[in-house]
Amino acid sequence: MSLAQNPLIPNDGVLLFNDGAALAFTVPYDGGDLAFSEISEGQKEYELFFSRGRFYAARKTVDKPVEVTFTCDAVGFTDAVQAAILDIVRKSGLWLAATSTLPAAAGDLHCSKLTWTGERTSLGGTNDSSVVMKYLHLTAAFAEGTPGKFTIKGILLPYSTDYLTWT
């Protein structure tokens, strides 16, 4: 995957959630702060081996999930068909029949695809930036106020080589 030539600094844009079939939910936002934990070559944990205190070998071990957080000022909580962000997280309402993006053979954990698009053209970029997280298990929190804040957290599973892409 290649890194964008312009820095990823936008703080407003759109979140697009998709299930494994045809459901989609769009959330416009302002003041966002998408973050994810460490990513590495192969997205593996490592076991280090030492002999009398001196390192002599390393071995890749298990896949390492990526922790994702996103907090923003709410611009909208429902889309045109009155689905809500919590419907995606709780798999309720219109998302009751949602299909997980994680294949059934990999377990019964419900995952969604999240595409984050950040505004960059107004900052001098030639295109907006995007990050696609393919197997994301979600949680959410909301805080009332002006502006209202909501936080989405998730665990991105490295199920396939294309689980995380960005442009």
Side-chain angles (χ1 to χ4, degrees):
M1 91 182 90
S2 63
L3 295 176
Q5 291 181 353
N6 295 324
L8 297 173
I9 58 172
N11 69 351
D12 64 331
V14 173
L15 300 175
L16 172 61
F17 295 91
N18 295 96
D19 76 338
L23 289 175
F25 180 77
T26 302
V27 180
Y29 70 86
D30 283 323
D33 64 355
L34 175 70
F36 43 87
S37 64
E38 298 173 349
I39 56 174
S40 63
E41 180 264 325
Q43 201 57 30
K44 299 277 189 183
E45 292 186 8
Y46 293 86
E47 175 114 18
L48 304 177
F49 297 92
F50 296 86
S51 175
R52 298 182 183 216
R54 292 186 55 97
F55 170 80
Y56 71 90
R59 178 176 298 145
K60 294 178 187 175
T61 58
V62 299
D63 288 342
K64 183 170 59 172
V66 178
E67 295 177 12
V68 177
T69 61
F70 183 80
T71 303
C72 66
D73 297 333
V75 174
F77 279 100
T78 61
D79 66 7
V81 293
Q82 300 303 306
I85 190 72
L86 291 178
D87 289 337
I88 298 167
V89 172
R90 296 176 56 226
K91 198 176 173 196
S92 62
L94 293 175
W95 282 69
L96 184 62
T99 303
S100 179
T101 57
L102 188 67
D108 63 356
L109 187 65
H110 181 75
C111 293
S112 300
K113 180 173 89 172
L114 171 60
T115 303
W116 167 86
T117 303
E119 170 61 46
R120 277 197 11 214
T121 53
S122 64
L123 301 170
T126 54
N127 295 310
D128 292 341
S129 294
S130 68
V131 175
V132 179
M133 293 167 261
K134 200 168 182 181
Y135 309 104
L136 187 62
H137 179 68
L138 298 166
T139 62
F142 173 71
E144 182 182 25
T146 306
K149 288 264 188 213
F150 72 89
T151 302
I152 297 171
K153 292 184 180 180
I155 298 295
L156 177 60
L157 303 173
Y159 179 71
S160 65
T161 57
D162 63 345
Y163 69 98
L164 176 66
T165 56
W166 67 73
T167 57

PDB file of all heavy atoms in Angstrom, residues 99-123:
ATOM      1  N   THR A  99     -25.335  -8.758   7.172  1.00  0.00           N
ATOM      2  CA  THR A  99     -24.402  -9.856   6.951  1.00  0.00           C
ATOM      3  C   THR A  99     -23.017  -9.384   7.354  1.00  0.00           C
ATOM      4  O   THR A  99     -22.579  -8.307   6.968  1.00  0.00           O
ATOM      5  CB  THR A  99     -24.386 -10.251   5.461  1.00  0.00           C
ATOM      6  OG1 THR A  99     -25.712 -10.582   5.065  1.00  0.00           O
ATOM      7  CG2 THR A  99     -23.466 -11.402   5.197  1.00  0.00           C
ATOM      8  N   SER A 100     -22.322 -10.186   8.126  1.00  0.00           N
ATOM      9  CA  SER A 100     -20.970  -9.828   8.544  1.00  0.00           C
ATOM     10  C   SER A 100     -20.022  -9.831   7.352  1.00  0.00           C
ATOM     11  O   SER A 100     -20.158 -10.650   6.440  1.00  0.00           O
ATOM     12  CB  SER A 100     -20.475 -10.816   9.600  1.00  0.00           C
ATOM     13  OG  SER A 100     -19.156 -10.484   9.999  1.00  0.00           O
ATOM     14  N   THR A 101     -19.051  -8.932   7.368  1.00  0.00           N
ATOM     15  CA  THR A 101     -18.008  -8.964   6.346  1.00  0.00           C
ATOM     16  C   THR A 101     -17.019 -10.091   6.611  1.00  0.00           C
ATOM     17  O   THR A 101     -16.314 -10.518   5.716  1.00  0.00           O
ATOM     18  CB  THR A 101     -17.256  -7.619   6.270  1.00  0.00           C
ATOM     19  OG1 THR A 101     -16.718  -7.315   7.564  1.00  0.00           O
ATOM     20  CG2 THR A 101     -18.174  -6.505   5.805  1.00  0.00           C
ATOM     21  N   LEU A 102     -16.976 -10.554   7.851  1.00  0.00           N
ATOM     22  CA  LEU A 102     -16.134 -11.692   8.210  1.00  0.00           C
ATOM     23  C   LEU A 102     -16.879 -12.975   7.825  1.00  0.00           C
ATOM     24  O   LEU A 102     -18.019 -13.166   8.245  1.00  0.00           O
ATOM     25  CB  LEU A 102     -15.855 -11.679   9.715  1.00  0.00           C
ATOM     26  CG  LEU A 102     -14.838 -12.670  10.247  1.00  0.00           C
ATOM     27  CD1 LEU A 102     -13.444 -12.336   9.723  1.00  0.00           C
ATOM     28  CD2 LEU A 102     -14.851 -12.665  11.760  1.00  0.00           C
ATOM     29  N   PRO A 103     -16.288 -13.837   7.014  1.00  0.00           N
ATOM     30  CA  PRO A 103     -16.985 -15.049   6.599  1.00  0.00           C
ATOM     31  C   PRO A 103     -17.383 -15.926   7.788  1.00  0.00           C
ATOM     32  O   PRO A 103     -16.683 -15.962   8.805  1.00  0.00           O
ATOM     33  CB  PRO A 103     -15.950 -15.771   5.725  1.00  0.00           C
ATOM     34  CG  PRO A 103     -15.024 -14.702   5.266  1.00  0.00           C
ATOM     35  CD  PRO A 103     -14.970 -13.700   6.385  1.00  0.00           C
ATOM     36  N   ALA A 104     -18.487 -16.630   7.654  1.00  0.00           N
ATOM     37  CA  ALA A 104     -18.991 -17.494   8.722  1.00  0.00           C
ATOM     38  C   ALA A 104     -17.963 -18.541   9.133  1.00  0.00           C
ATOM     39  O   ALA A 104     -17.900 -18.940  10.296  1.00  0.00           O
ATOM     40  CB  ALA A 104     -20.292 -18.166   8.284  1.00  0.00           C
ATOM     41  N   ALA A 105     -17.127 -18.973   8.208  1.00  0.00           N
ATOM     42  CA  ALA A 105     -16.104 -19.969   8.524  1.00  0.00           C
ATOM     43  C   ALA A 105     -15.078 -19.429   9.521  1.00  0.00           C
ATOM     44  O   ALA A 105     -14.385 -20.197  10.180  1.00  0.00           O
ATOM     45  CB  ALA A 105     -15.396 -20.413   7.250  1.00  0.00           C
ATOM     46  N   ALA A 106     -15.000 -18.102   9.650  1.00  0.00           N
ATOM     47  CA  ALA A 106     -14.039 -17.484  10.576  1.00  0.00           C
ATOM     48  C   ALA A 106     -14.652 -17.219  11.942  1.00  0.00           C
ATOM     49  O   ALA A 106     -13.992 -16.652  12.817  1.00  0.00           O
ATOM     50  CB  ALA A 106     -13.506 -16.188   9.976  1.00  0.00           C
ATOM     51  N   GLY A 107     -15.912 -17.573  12.141  1.00  0.00           N
ATOM     52  CA  GLY A 107     -16.545 -17.387  13.441  1.00  0.00           C
ATOM     53  C   GLY A 107     -17.809 -16.559  13.337  1.00  0.00           C
ATOM     54  O   GLY A 107     -18.189 -16.103  12.270  1.00  0.00           O
ATOM     55  N   ASP A 108     -18.455 -16.353  14.487  1.00  0.00           N
ATOM     56  CA  ASP A 108     -19.740 -15.650  14.487  1.00  0.00           C
ATOM     57  C   ASP A 108     -19.637 -14.200  14.977  1.00  0.00           C
ATOM     58  O   ASP A 108     -20.625 -13.599  15.354  1.00  0.00           O
ATOM     59  CB  ASP A 108     -20.782 -16.422  15.297  1.00  0.00           C
ATOM     60  CG  ASP A 108     -20.399 -16.536  16.763  1.00  0.00           C
ATOM     61  OD1 ASP A 108     -19.305 -16.083  17.146  1.00  0.00           O
ATOM     62  OD2 ASP A 108     -21.205 -17.080  17.524  1.00  0.00           O
ATOM     63  N   LEU A 109     -18.464 -13.634  14.970  1.00  0.00           N
ATOM     64  CA  LEU A 109     -18.281 -12.233  15.340  1.00  0.00           C
ATOM     65  C   LEU A 109     -18.778 -11.354  14.199  1.00  0.00           C
ATOM     66  O   LEU A 109     -18.363 -11.531  13.048  1.00  0.00           O
ATOM     67  CB  LEU A 109     -16.802 -11.953  15.617  1.00  0.00           C
ATOM     68  CG  LEU A 109     -16.454 -10.588  16.180  1.00  0.00           C
ATOM     69  CD1 LEU A 109     -17.063 -10.425  17.573  1.00  0.00           C
ATOM     70  CD2 LEU A 109     -14.947 -10.420  16.242  1.00  0.00           C
ATOM     71  N   HIS A 110     -19.700 -10.412  14.505  1.00  0.00           N
ATOM     72  CA  HIS A 110     -20.233  -9.555  13.444  1.00  0.00           C
ATOM     73  C   HIS A 110     -19.262  -8.418  13.156  1.00  0.00           C
ATOM     74  O   HIS A 110     -18.889  -7.652  14.043  1.00  0.00           O
ATOM     75  CB  HIS A 110     -21.595  -8.976  13.823  1.00  0.00           C
ATOM     76  CG  HIS A 110     -22.158  -8.120  12.740  1.00  0.00           C
ATOM     77  ND1 HIS A 110     -22.704  -8.658  11.595  1.00  0.00           N
ATOM     78  CD2 HIS A 110     -22.215  -6.784  12.598  1.00  0.00           C
ATOM     79  CE1 HIS A 110     -23.087  -7.675  10.798  1.00  0.00           C
ATOM     80  NE2 HIS A 110     -22.800  -6.531  11.390  1.00  0.00           N
ATOM     81  N   CYS A 111     -18.863  -8.297  11.917  1.00  0.00           N
ATOM     82  CA  CYS A 111     -17.954  -7.232  11.477  1.00  0.00           C
ATOM     83  C   CYS A 111     -18.597  -6.451  10.338  1.00  0.00           C
ATOM     84  O   CYS A 111     -19.391  -6.982   9.576  1.00  0.00           O
ATOM     85  CB  CYS A 111     -16.628  -7.814  11.004  1.00  0.00           C
ATOM     86  SG  CYS A 111     -15.661  -8.585  12.302  1.00  0.00           S
ATOM     87  N   SER A 112     -18.231  -5.182  10.242  1.00  0.00           N
ATOM     88  CA  SER A 112     -18.673  -4.308   9.155  1.00  0.00           C
ATOM     89  C   SER A 112     -17.450  -3.756   8.449  1.00  0.00           C
ATOM     90  O   SER A 112     -16.344  -3.777   8.980  1.00  0.00           O
ATOM     91  CB  SER A 112     -19.494  -3.140   9.706  1.00  0.00           C
ATOM     92  OG  SER A 112     -20.621  -3.596  10.384  1.00  0.00           O
ATOM     93  N   LYS A 113     -17.670  -3.236   7.258  1.00  0.00           N
ATOM     94  CA  LYS A 113     -16.608  -2.523   6.549  1.00  0.00           C
ATOM     95  C   LYS A 113     -16.817  -1.034   6.806  1.00  0.00           C
ATOM     96  O   LYS A 113     -17.929  -0.528   6.682  1.00  0.00           O
ATOM     97  CB  LYS A 113     -16.657  -2.812   5.056  1.00  0.00           C
ATOM     98  CG  LYS A 113     -15.558  -2.075   4.279  1.00  0.00           C
ATOM     99  CD  LYS A 113     -15.517  -2.505   2.829  1.00  0.00           C
ATOM    100  CE  LYS A 113     -16.433  -1.643   2.009  1.00  0.00           C
ATOM    101  NZ  LYS A 113     -16.319  -1.853   0.562  1.00  0.00           N
ATOM    102  N   LEU A 114     -15.757  -0.339   7.167  1.00  0.00           N
ATOM    103  CA  LEU A 114     -15.819   1.105   7.380  1.00  0.00           C
ATOM    104  C   LEU A 114     -14.897   1.777   6.386  1.00  0.00           C
ATOM    105  O   LEU A 114     -13.714   1.445   6.301  1.00  0.00           O
ATOM    106  CB  LEU A 114     -15.402   1.464   8.802  1.00  0.00           C
ATOM    107  CG  LEU A 114     -15.216   2.954   9.097  1.00  0.00           C
ATOM    108  CD1 LEU A 114     -16.502   3.733   8.859  1.00  0.00           C
ATOM    109  CD2 LEU A 114     -14.720   3.153  10.518  1.00  0.00           C
ATOM    110  N   THR A 115     -15.461   2.711   5.618  1.00  0.00           N
ATOM    111  CA  THR A 115     -14.663   3.537   4.723  1.00  0.00           C
ATOM    112  C   THR A 115     -14.697   4.959   5.254  1.00  0.00           C
ATOM    113  O   THR A 115     -15.765   5.564   5.357  1.00  0.00           O
ATOM    114  CB  THR A 115     -15.218   3.512   3.282  1.00  0.00           C
ATOM    115  OG1 THR A 115     -15.269   2.157   2.835  1.00  0.00           O
ATOM    116  CG2 THR A 115     -14.342   4.336   2.344  1.00  0.00           C
ATOM    117  N   TRP A 116     -13.539   5.452   5.646  1.00  0.00           N
ATOM    118  CA  TRP A 116     -13.391   6.831   6.124  1.00  0.00           C
ATOM    119  C   TRP A 116     -12.895   7.661   4.954  1.00  0.00           C
ATOM    120  O   TRP A 116     -11.926   7.291   4.288  1.00  0.00           O
ATOM    121  CB  TRP A 116     -12.383   6.881   7.263  1.00  0.00           C
ATOM    122  CG  TRP A 116     -11.916   8.248   7.631  1.00  0.00           C
ATOM    123  CD1 TRP A 116     -12.519   9.117   8.489  1.00  0.00           C
ATOM    124  CD2 TRP A 116     -10.734   8.916   7.168  1.00  0.00           C
ATOM    125  NE1 TRP A 116     -11.791  10.269   8.579  1.00  0.00           N
ATOM    126  CE2 TRP A 116     -10.694  10.169   7.784  1.00  0.00           C
ATOM    127  CE3 TRP A 116      -9.714   8.563   6.290  1.00  0.00           C
ATOM    128  CZ2 TRP A 116      -9.667  11.083   7.557  1.00  0.00           C
ATOM    129  CZ3 TRP A 116      -8.695   9.474   6.058  1.00  0.00           C
ATOM    130  CH2 TRP A 116      -8.684  10.720   6.689  1.00  0.00           C
ATOM    131  N   THR A 117     -13.584   8.755   4.659  1.00  0.00           N
ATOM    132  CA  THR A 117     -13.146   9.682   3.626  1.00  0.00           C
ATOM    133  C   THR A 117     -12.962  11.046   4.260  1.00  0.00           C
ATOM    134  O   THR A 117     -13.889  11.576   4.878  1.00  0.00           O
ATOM    135  CB  THR A 117     -14.175   9.774   2.482  1.00  0.00           C
ATOM    136  OG1 THR A 117     -14.378   8.468   1.948  1.00  0.00           O
ATOM    137  CG2 THR A 117     -13.682  10.704   1.385  1.00  0.00           C
ATOM    138  N   GLY A 118     -11.755  11.582   4.142  1.00  0.00           N
ATOM    139  CA  GLY A 118     -11.433  12.888   4.710  1.00  0.00           C
ATOM    140  C   GLY A 118     -11.244  13.924   3.630  1.00  0.00           C
ATOM    141  O   GLY A 118     -10.630  13.656   2.591  1.00  0.00           O
ATOM    142  N   GLU A 119     -11.769  15.101   3.867  1.00  0.00           N
ATOM    143  CA  GLU A 119     -11.682  16.207   2.915  1.00  0.00           C
ATOM    144  C   GLU A 119     -10.244  16.709   2.824  1.00  0.00           C
ATOM    145  O   GLU A 119      -9.658  17.113   3.824  1.00  0.00           O
ATOM    146  CB  GLU A 119     -12.602  17.340   3.376  1.00  0.00           C
ATOM    147  CG  GLU A 119     -12.442  18.639   2.622  1.00  0.00           C
ATOM    148  CD  GLU A 119     -12.749  18.525   1.145  1.00  0.00           C
ATOM    149  OE1 GLU A 119     -13.759  17.920   0.787  1.00  0.00           O
ATOM    150  OE2 GLU A 119     -11.951  19.065   0.351  1.00  0.00           O
ATOM    151  N   ARG A 120      -9.651  16.646   1.617  1.00  0.00           N
ATOM    152  CA  ARG A 120      -8.308  17.195   1.406  1.00  0.00           C
ATOM    153  C   ARG A 120      -8.245  18.167   0.251  1.00  0.00           C
ATOM    154  O   ARG A 120      -7.294  18.923   0.142  1.00  0.00           O
ATOM    155  CB  ARG A 120      -7.311  16.070   1.136  1.00  0.00           C
ATOM    156  CG  ARG A 120      -6.812  15.438   2.384  1.00  0.00           C
ATOM    157  CD  ARG A 120      -5.556  14.632   2.189  1.00  0.00           C
ATOM    158  NE  ARG A 120      -4.923  14.816   0.914  1.00  0.00           N
ATOM    159  CZ  ARG A 120      -4.271  13.873   0.261  1.00  0.00           C
ATOM    160  NH1 ARG A 120      -4.158  12.691   0.759  1.00  0.00           N
ATOM    161  NH2 ARG A 120      -3.714  14.116  -0.899  1.00  0.00           N
ATOM    162  N   THR A 121      -9.244  18.142  -0.627  1.00  0.00           N
ATOM    163  CA  THR A 121      -9.159  19.016  -1.794  1.00  0.00           C
ATOM    164  C   THR A 121      -9.169  20.485  -1.379  1.00  0.00           C
ATOM    165  O   THR A 121      -8.516  21.302  -2.013  1.00  0.00           O
ATOM    166  CB  THR A 121     -10.303  18.726  -2.784  1.00  0.00           C
ATOM    167  OG1 THR A 121     -11.552  18.787  -2.093  1.00  0.00           O
ATOM    168  CG2 THR A 121     -10.134  17.361  -3.413  1.00  0.00           C
ATOM    169  N   SER A 122      -9.875  20.807  -0.294  1.00  0.00           N
ATOM    170  CA  SER A 122      -9.879  22.196   0.160  1.00  0.00           C
ATOM    171  C   SER A 122      -8.579  22.568   0.869  1.00  0.00           C
ATOM    172  O   SER A 122      -8.339  23.727   1.175  1.00  0.00           O
ATOM    173  CB  SER A 122     -11.065  22.453   1.099  1.00  0.00           C
ATOM    174  OG  SER A 122     -10.935  21.672   2.268  1.00  0.00           O
ATOM    175  N   LEU A 123      -7.722  21.574   1.111  1.00  0.00           N
ATOM    176  CA  LEU A 123      -6.425  21.809   1.763  1.00  0.00           C
ATOM    177  C   LEU A 123      -5.283  21.760   0.764  1.00  0.00           C
ATOM    178  O   LEU A 123      -4.121  21.702   1.144  1.00  0.00           O
ATOM    179  CB  LEU A 123      -6.194  20.762   2.858  1.00  0.00           C
ATOM    180  CG  LEU A 123      -7.245  20.716   3.959  1.00  0.00           C
ATOM    181  CD1 LEU A 123      -7.043  19.485   4.829  1.00  0.00           C
ATOM    182  CD2 LEU A 123      -7.197  21.979   4.795  1.00  0.00           C
TER     183      LEU A 123
END
